[in-house]
Amino acid sequence: MLGEKSNVNFHWKMFLKNEYHKSYFIKLLNILRIEYNHFVCFPKQENIFSCFKYCSFKKLKVVIIGQDPYYKENQADGLCFSVSDGLPFPPSLKNIFTEVNNCLNNDKKNLYPTSGSLIHWAKQGVLLLNSILTVRKDYPLSHKNIGWEFFTDQIIRTISNRKKNIVFLLWGKYAQRKISLINSFHNHYILKTSHPSPFSAHMGFFGSKHFEKTNDFLKKIGKKTILWC
């Protein structure tokens, strides 16, 4: 069910396999079976764990935390803020690309990508983690409090405790509440600002230079930078 094993990178399996057998996760799977059988839900079942497929635990450098997937037709692809090839950019993603463009483009040209897929970020070591991994069509937060938050909090704790020098990009109040899960003794680099939503992007996200600051930190610790553009 849900391809939880097939869509998880090998290095994640050793940390996540115990979760699959816990009572809360078994209950979560039962709820999802009902939801996917009776309603249209996103992302597609085979893409629910895509963030763990494309970003390996071994190569992980950066964590971006979202809330729940896009709830419109076939937008969600399993990576927070990302959409499948060929789809229009949702407003938050458009603002993310605007900040990348303004932050890293010295020529100040409008170098926007042709695709809204962020798989190329994930493959470089960026974990694009929604706190809630599924949603019912047209009903945002419809899968809140069914078990996903407990699961993804465990992911954040695992990263925080087992890795060092990880960049955590916490955009908006919801993501910033996760700061208590981050181990303060492992030299993680935490950057906070407003959410890239049109309602709040002008309250700090634009001009935050998070993408530049992330690469500066990675250079400082001797890691390869992220090609954001």
Side-chain angles (χ1 to χ4, degrees):
M1 169 65 181
L2 302 175
E4 66 267 21
K5 295 182 179 179
S6 61
N7 252 15
V8 174
N9 180 277
F10 171 79
H11 292 103
W12 281 107
K13 286 183 180 179
M14 44 194 298
F15 299 111
L16 303 183
K17 62 182 180 181
N18 290 334
E19 298 301 310
Y20 297 151
H21 303 292
K22 291 181 179 178
S23 59
Y24 87 90
F25 198 86
I26 294 171
K27 180 180 178 181
L28 169 61
L29 289 182
N30 289 333
I31 293 172
L32 291 175
R33 286 188 184 96
I34 295 171
E35 285 288 306
Y36 273 82
N37 284 335
H38 291 85
F39 304 97
V40 177
C41 296
F42 302 120
K44 294 178 180 178
Q45 292 189 32
E46 62 267 25
N47 292 331
I48 292 174
F49 294 92
S50 286
C51 65
F52 306 114
K53 174 183 179 181
Y54 294 108
C55 177
S56 76
F57 186 86
K58 186 176 182 180
K59 295 181 180 179
L60 178 63
K61 304 174 187 175
V62 181
V63 178
I64 299 177
I65 300 173
Q67 190 164 4
D68 71 333
Y70 297 124
Y71 54 86
K72 297 297 183 182
E73 188 74 35
N74 290 325
Q75 284 184 313
D77 65 359
L79 310 176
C80 73
F81 297 109
S82 176
V83 294
S84 300
D85 287 336
L87 292 180
F89 302 164
S92 292
L93 181 59
K94 189 180 295 184
N95 287 339
I96 288 171
F97 288 148
T98 296
E99 177 61 15
V100 169
N101 193 58
N102 292 338
C103 183
L104 300 176
N105 178 18
N106 293 327
D107 296 329
K108 299 302 178 185
K109 299 176 183 177
N110 292 324
L111 301 178
Y112 289 88
T114 57
S115 171
S117 172
L118 301 180
I119 288 175
H120 64 292
W121 288 9
K123 289 181 176 179
Q124 296 176 78
V126 181
L127 182 66
L128 294 149
L129 179 68
N130 273 317
S131 182
I132 303 163
L133 296 188
T134 56
V135 68
R136 191 188 297 180
K137 180 183 177 182
D138 295 331
Y139 289 91
L141 297 177
S142 49
H143 290 176
K144 181 181 179 181
N145 296 329
I146 65 171
W148 279 131
E149 294 94 332
F150 189 88
F151 174 75
T152 53
D153 281 358
Q154 291 289 85
I155 299 300
I156 297 170
R157 288 192 189 95
T158 297
I159 294 168
S160 177
N161 292 330
R162 295 179 180 263
K163 305 282 284 188
K164 294 183 179 180
N165 297 311
I166 298 297
V167 182
F168 287 88
L169 302 183
L170 307 181
W171 299 336
K173 293 180 180 179
Y174 182 86
Q176 289 165 23
R177 288 200 292 268
K178 303 295 182 179
I179 197 168
S180 62
L181 305 173
I182 302 172
N183 190 326
S184 60
F185 298 103
H186 283 195
N187 299 318
H188 299 307
Y189 186 37
I190 301 172
L191 293 171
K192 299 183 292 182
T193 190
S194 65
H195 194 276
S197 159
F199 301 106
S200 57
H202 292 280
M203 299 170 64
F205 181 80
F206 288 141
S208 64
K209 297 187 180 296
H210 276 192
F211 304 102
E212 180 180 352
K213 290 175 180 178
T214 295
N215 279 350
D216 287 344
F217 177 77
L218 294 175
K219 285 180 185 176
K220 182 179 177 181
I221 62 174
K223 291 186 178 181
K224 189 175 181 179
T225 58
I226 305 297
L227 182 62
W228 299 107
C229 297

